[in-house]
Amino acid sequence: MASYLGSKELQEYIASEPEPDFKLFIAKNKNDIAVWSSSFNICSALDLFTIWENRYKAAWNLDSIKGKKQCPRITVKDTLYLWQSIENIIHAIKSIKGEHAHEAFTIPKGKSSFPVAFKQASVDTTRTQQTSIETLDQLENSSSSEQSSCSSPDDILPVYQYNNNNIPVPLANKRYNINQFDVSLAFHAFQSVASKNIDTMNIELNVSHILALSSIFLIQREKCHPDLIGVFTEEKLKDIFNDQCKRFKTRKYNHTSIRNVDQITSIIKNVKNDLLTRENGIIETYRLGFTPSPLSLVTTTITNLPTPTFSASPEQQSPDHQEAVPGPLLPLPKNVNKILKCVVNLIEKLPNQDIKEDFLELEFYHRFIDPILSGLFDDPDNGILFRWTIEPNEESEHEYMTRKCPDGTITLLDGLYFGPSLGFVDVKSAKREHDKHVISNDLVRLGLLSKNAIDQSNANGCLVIQVRGLTLDFYITKLAADGMYTMFHLYSLKAPSSIESLQGFVAYFDEILSILDIFDEHCLTFTTGDTIQHSFKRKSLSDEAFDTILSKMKSNKRPCYTSYNQ
């Protein structure tokens, strides 16, 4: 039998398995097959299938035991999606040339990882043709000189106008690295995969690809496209997500919480059980912000809410009851008052029980979503307005995809005028929360809006809020490195649909505190001078490219790797 890259592994698999399966072998060895096939002059999905089908059959017949049985019938239909993914990985290998990329990656011994570019030691160079190609160092020098000439917003480097082999390589000393793993270089490879396949994309399946073509790296938990896994590996994607959690102090790195939230839960319970009227429930919630004595902060950064001084309805009070006179409104630990305001809004607006009929979208906004978002982000005293927008804002006028204005914005006032946008909101009611085309379209638009806001205002970050029915997904977009904007999924919250379900919303208070702290730290701060270099920025995907993608047929049957409830 002819010797080729992967022949040993293929023979060992067939010999060791009682019932070998071609599809299973391809799925388990997808990344390695891309390595073994990267030297082919042709590498379309169908060509790859034909080559490896013949090799599999030859290895089957070679095995003394299996050779006595007929090789099971193999059809391209069963494995085509795997070969398309392998084809994309091969394009990524070739696009970054593969001579020096392995220096930026640390590969655990004995583990399969991303192809030849990042695992060159696995390739038997005696059996592959040597080719003379320019090194990444040379590419970096050329891209550095290109980028250094950028001096105005019009000079920001576009990604899509480059072919898949000429997307600017990020500057070596301005990259995003995690434990010697070069995230920027891997993202560059994924951009190459995306640019190569733009004609075959659809928005339901390829949100990560479309955002990548505008230099936005969507980072989320577990829901990753196979192409991302093929380039980064699942292990590295988890490391990246964990690193983002650490940077923003979310999830297991969030150590701030409110103590005595049972006081709020008690008020909500009393309103639900008619022991308090809504008006008295609102008053009692506000009273939690008043106390005769300062609040105490413990060293573990757990926040104490004061015990309310008023807890009984007027009917329950004794005739001699003297109402306690509250002291001044004290500066509660950061952002706790905003949560109290949010609870007050919900007590005022929510129906007593879940309504069985669907709400119109505008009513849905104002009854279920506005009480939360306006309570958390509307802060006129500090020049911050939460707005439900009708006309396009400044950021939405620059790109084709973003010409439809978002449903809401968080805006910083500039004197008597609307200034830069600090965050964007898109809402879809329960009737449309499972429409994959609409939800994916909204997420791409929100990503581009947040990127445009950073490019124009030099904000350190921009908040993105996507509402799908009663689910609120929070993201933070930042210009993290040369040519890379990260769009990191912070948390998913479930809005209450009635007073009966409001008690469950209290469980999200720690996450809400974390979101508000991130907003204050990253979205309310702006860079000046060289803190964020202008040359790091990239233009968004062109109008023509969006036309190509968005003109395709819609299908709710396609897999969706970004909607958490799909």
Side-chain angles (χ1 to χ4, degrees):
M1 180 177 176
S3 179
Y4 51 83
L5 291 176
S7 59
K8 180 182 177 182
E9 290 81 355
L10 180 56
Q11 292 172 40
E12 288 178 351
Y13 170 77
I14 292 176
S16 62
E17 291 291 329
E19 297 291 335
D21 183 271
F22 180 65
K23 181 179 178 180
L24 186 60
F25 174 77
I26 302 305
K28 283 184 175 181
N29 298 277
K30 183 175 67 173
N31 293 337
D32 287 324
I33 289 172
V35 174
W36 301 331
S37 308
S38 59
S39 61
F40 296 167
N41 291 327
I42 52 173
C43 59
S44 70
L46 289 175
D47 290 332
L48 289 166
F49 167 78
T50 302
I51 292 169
W52 282 96
E53 177 197 24
N54 291 333
R55 289 178 171 181
Y56 185 85
K57 288 179 177 177
W60 178 285
N61 293 330
L62 186 68
D63 185 87
S64 58
I65 299 175
K66 305 295 189 309
K68 296 178 182 178
K69 303 178 184 177
Q70 187 177 0
C71 182
R73 185 170 176 267
I74 300 171
T75 61
V76 66
K77 182 180 178 181
D78 294 335
T79 57
L80 183 58
Y81 73 98
L82 291 170
W83 294 115
Q84 289 171 339
S85 181
I86 292 170
E87 179 186 357
N88 288 339
I89 297 172
I90 292 173
H91 287 311
I93 298 171
K94 293 183 176 182
S95 71
I96 60 176
K97 306 302 184 183
E99 282 210 349
H100 289 273
H102 68 284
E103 296 171 3
F105 290 76
T106 302
I107 306 301
K109 209 168 187 180
K111 288 189 177 181
S112 174
S113 184
F114 182 65
V116 63
F118 309 145
K119 187 185 175 186
Q120 209 150 352
S122 68
V123 179
D124 186 348
T125 55
T126 63
R127 290 180 289 175
T128 57
Q129 183 180 3
Q130 297 297 311
T131 49
S132 175
I133 56 178
E134 69 179 320
T135 65
L136 274 179
D137 291 336
Q138 292 170 316
L139 286 172
E140 285 165 0
N141 290 336
S142 62
S143 68
S144 176
S145 61
E146 261 184 87
Q147 294 179 37
S148 62
S149 63
C150 298
S151 57
S152 67
D154 293 333
D155 293 331
I156 295 177
L157 292 172
V159 168
Y160 178 66
Q161 292 177 10
Y162 292 84
N163 63 46
N164 66 303
N165 287 325
N166 290 321
I167 295 175
V169 177
L171 298 173
N173 60 339
K174 303 296 181 183
R175 294 178 183 171
Y176 177 18
N177 293 279
I178 302 175
N179 298 327
Q180 298 182 325
F181 179 83
D182 194 328
V183 178
S184 293
L185 193 60
F187 180 65
H188 174 268
F190 180 69
Q191 286 179 294
S192 299
V193 170
S195 67
K196 181 70 177 177
N197 293 280
I198 192 167
D199 292 334
T200 62
M201 286 184 191
N202 57 72
I203 199 159
E204 298 94 336
L205 180 62
N206 299 114
V207 168
S208 294
H209 299 70
I210 297 167
L211 288 172
L213 290 174
S214 294
S215 301
I216 301 170
F217 182 19
L218 180 63
I219 303 172
Q220 51 189 0
R221 189 177 182 178
E222 295 176 351
K223 295 280 278 188
C224 297
H225 193 282
D227 288 350
L228 268 175
I229 296 172
V231 173
F232 286 87
T233 74
E234 287 188 42
E235 181 184 354
K236 294 302 180 186
L237 288 170
K238 288 178 181 177
D239 289 345
I240 294 168
F241 182 83
N242 186 66
D243 182 70
Q244 290 288 304
C245 290
K246 190 174 183 179
R247 288 170 184 257
F248 291 104
K249 300 175 183 175
T250 63
R251 301 179 189 268
K252 65 181 179 181
Y253 300 101
N254 177 22
H255 302 302
T256 302
S257 59
I258 305 176
R259 183 179 290 171
N260 294 335
V261 290
D262 57 316
Q263 302 295 338
I264 299 176
T265 305
S266 177
I267 293 172
I268 295 170
K269 185 177 179 181
N270 287 339
V271 172
K272 182 180 77 171
N273 294 329
D274 296 327
L275 296 175
L276 283 176
T277 64
R278 286 181 187 250
E279 291 76 10
N280 283 338
I282 290 170
I283 293 170
E284 291 228 14
T285 302
Y286 272 133
R287 284 180 183 273
L288 292 175
F290 291 82
T291 179
S293 59
L295 293 174
S296 60
L297 288 176
V298 294
T299 54
T300 55
T301 69
I302 295 178
T303 303
N304 283 307
L305 276 174
T307 302
T309 56
F310 178 77
S311 59
S313 63
E315 295 78 13
Q316 295 171 316
Q317 295 178 22
S318 65
D320 299 328
H321 173 77
Q322 294 287 326
E323 183 175 324
V325 179
L329 183 61
L330 294 168
L332 282 174
K334 198 172 185 181
N335 293 319
V336 174
N337 269 324
K338 292 182 178 180
I339 294 179
L340 296 179
K341 180 182 174 184
C342 175
V343 173
V344 165
N345 291 346
L346 289 168
I347 291 175
E348 184 178 16
K349 284 281 190 179
L350 290 177
N352 287 327
Q353 296 178 320
D354 291 348
I355 305 297
K356 299 301 181 184
E357 292 192 37
D358 291 327
F359 285 87
L360 296 175
E361 208 151 272
L362 186 62
E363 184 180 5
F364 181 83
Y365 294 175
H366 292 289
R367 186 160 299 278
F368 300 104
I369 307 304
D370 180 74
I372 297 173
L373 298 184
S374 63
L376 298 179
F377 299 107
D378 195 55
D379 189 5
D381 287 343
N382 290 308
I384 301 171
L385 300 182
F386 177 78
R387 307 160 54 213
W388 291 108
T389 50
I390 299 174
E391 296 182 1
N393 58 353
E394 184 182 359
E395 291 80 15
S396 69
E397 294 175 346
H398 285 267
E399 303 293 343
Y400 171 86
M401 183 69 177
T402 58
R403 285 179 190 163
K404 178 184 179 299
C405 60
D407 294 322
T409 63
I410 305 169
T411 305
L412 183 65
L413 289 176
D414 183 6
L416 299 178
Y417 298 92
F418 295 132
S421 298
L422 309 175
F424 298 95
V425 182
D426 248 316
V427 181
K428 290 295 175 284
S429 64
K431 286 177 66 175
R432 305 177 72 190
E433 68 173 313
H434 297 293
D435 187 329
K436 294 180 181 180
H437 183 88
V438 170
I439 296 301
S440 300
N441 197 308
D442 284 352
L443 186 58
V444 170
R445 184 170 65 254
L446 288 169
L448 295 178
L449 285 167
S450 61
K451 172 190 175 293
N452 291 346
I454 291 171
D455 287 344
Q456 292 167 42
S457 67
N458 283 333
N460 278 329
C462 187
L463 194 68
V464 166
I465 307 169
Q466 184 179 31
V467 182
R468 301 172 284 110
L470 293 171
T471 301
L472 290 81
D473 288 309
F474 291 82
Y475 299 80
I476 180 75
T477 303
K478 283 181 70 72
L479 179 54
D482 181 29
M484 181 195 289
Y485 302 74
T486 55
M487 184 177 175
F488 172 56
H489 183 253
L490 297 169
Y491 293 106
S492 290
L493 312 181
K494 191 80 170 179
S497 55
S498 63
I499 293 294
E500 280 195 346
S501 59
L502 181 54
Q503 275 181 269
F505 188 67
V506 176
Y508 292 115
F509 281 5
D510 292 351
E511 286 86 349
I512 293 173
L513 267 182
S514 176
I515 290 167
L516 291 173
D517 288 343
I518 290 168
F519 178 77
D520 290 345
E521 182 179 349
H522 297 278
C523 303
L524 290 179
T525 56
F526 299 85
T527 59
T528 56
D530 297 329
T531 308
I532 289 186
Q533 296 184 27
H534 183 79
S535 62
F536 283 13
K537 299 176 182 178
R538 299 289 188 273
K539 282 187 177 180
S540 299
L541 197 61
S542 68
D543 292 0
E544 295 80 8
F546 277 123
D547 277 332
T548 300
I549 297 167
L550 299 179
S551 62
K552 299 189 187 315
M553 296 282 291
K554 303 177 183 179
S555 175
N556 223 40
K557 294 182 179 179
R558 293 174 181 142
C560 187
Y561 293 98
T562 51
S563 298
Y564 283 77
N565 63 343
Q566 301 295 347

